[in-house]
Amino acid sequence: MILKKYEVRGMMEWHPVFKVGRSHIKVSFTGGHLCSGGCTPASFETADPVVQKVIESSPAFKSRRISVGMVKKIPDTTGPSEAVAKTQTGYVFEYENIKDVYALLEDTKGVPLSKLNDEASCFREAEKLGIILKKKES
C-alpha cells in the first residue's frame, strides 16, 4: 500500500471538492502555516488509491497547484477499511444514484461490471477497497 502526502503551497487550509461521475469527493488540506520566516504548505495524506486517482486526475494537480510532498510504502497488515480509517479518518463517498457508485468503482478502480450486479454487490466491492458509501440526503 502506498501512502501519499499532497501539498498546497501558500495556503493554511483548502477544502476543494472533486467531481467523480455525478458525485463529489471533498478533501481537506490543513496544517498550513504562513509567517515572515517561511511557510508550511497545507497538506492531506491518504493511502486510498481511489482518492489518489481522483486528486491526480484533477485540474488543480495538473496545473501544479497540488503537488506530491511525500510517497511512502506502508505494509498492508490490515484490511482496506482499517487502513483508510487510520490515514484518512471518516472518508465517505456520497452518491446520489447507484450509477455514481458504478462509475466510481469501474472507472477509477477497474472493478468489472460483472461483479456489480446490484446495490449490495457495490457495497461489498467498495468495502473491499476501503470505500464507505453513503447516500446523499435530499
Side-chain angles (χ1 to χ4, degrees):
M1 183 173 286
I2 296 175
L3 175 68
K4 289 187 179 182
K5 181 178 183 179
Y6 296 95
E7 298 178 340
V8 179
R9 300 204 181 280
M11 302 285 260
M12 292 186 290
E13 280 190 18
W14 187 42
H15 305 279
V17 177
F18 299 108
K19 189 171 180 177
V20 179
R22 285 196 263 154
S23 292
H24 299 83
I25 293 178
K26 182 178 179 182
V27 176
S28 296
F29 290 85
T30 58
H33 181 72
L34 299 172
C35 67
S36 60
C39 73
T40 302
S43 63
F44 171 76
E45 289 185 8
T46 184
D48 187 345
V50 174
V51 176
Q52 291 173 359
K53 174 82 171 172
V54 169
I55 291 173
E56 292 172 8
S57 300
S58 73
F61 186 83
K62 291 177 182 175
S63 68
R64 297 186 182 174
R65 181 171 189 183
I66 300 172
S67 61
V68 178
M70 176 201 66
V71 178
K72 182 178 179 183
K73 186 164 175 82
I74 56 175
D76 192 9
T77 57
T78 61
S81 296
E82 294 171 15
V84 171
K86 287 180 184 174
T87 59
Q88 185 184 6
T89 306
Y91 168 69
V92 174
F93 178 75
E94 291 188 9
Y95 66 96
E96 293 177 11
N97 189 317
I98 196 66
K99 291 179 183 178
D100 299 332
V101 177
Y102 287 129
L104 172 74
L105 295 174
E106 182 187 23
D107 297 343
T108 61
K109 199 55 189 156
V111 177
L113 280 176
S114 61
K115 288 188 173 184
L116 306 175
N117 299 326
D118 56 7
E119 195 167 338
S121 63
C122 287
F123 276 86
R124 279 193 304 274
E125 289 298 319
E127 179 65 27
K128 288 179 191 176
L129 299 170
I131 302 168
I132 301 165
L133 299 176
K134 180 182 175 186
K135 181 106 172 150
K136 277 188 182 177
E137 296 177 14
S138 302

